[in-house]
Amino acid sequence: MSELLKTNLRLRDIQKGLPEASKRALTQQLSEMIEDGLIEKKDFNQFPKKTEYSITSLGSRLAPVFNELSKFGDKL
């Protein structure tokens, strides 16, 4: 999530940052975050298919919370 605060990302870029997460778990979590209004998914009408995820204004307002959670996780 912290990388999405900086730039739009494709699924493969998100996966690179979370190598321990399975693709299925990651896509499920992204879907839940879309439903919650934290991120949005944009499909580009091109070949090969291109999809990007970006942070919403609600997600941006929650950035301090995500940053603190990330710091906490780093200490474990």
Side-chain angles (χ1 to χ4, degrees):
M1 182 69 175
S2 60
E3 288 301 312
L4 277 174
L5 293 169
K6 300 173 191 169
T7 187
N8 297 349
L9 296 171
R10 296 177 76 172
L11 180 60
R12 69 172 180 237
D13 299 323
I14 297 170
Q15 285 178 299
K16 286 179 188 175
L18 300 167
E20 67 282 355
S22 70
K23 184 176 181 179
R24 181 175 184 235
L26 184 56
T27 55
Q28 181 178 355
Q29 189 67 43
L30 288 169
S31 294
E32 290 176 15
M33 292 172 75
I34 291 168
E35 288 176 20
D36 293 338
L38 301 174
I39 62 172
E40 60 187 6
K41 178 181 173 182
K42 182 176 181 184
D43 292 316
F44 293 86
N45 189 19
Q46 68 182 48
F47 183 82
K49 184 178 176 182
K50 179 181 176 184
T51 302
E52 283 187 347
Y53 295 89
S54 60
I55 196 85
T56 63
S57 60
L58 174 61
S60 292
R61 290 194 310 253
L62 292 172
V65 175
F66 294 129
N67 289 333
E68 288 303 314
L69 288 171
S70 180
K71 288 178 192 176
F72 177 76
D74 289 343
K75 292 178 183 178
L76 296 179

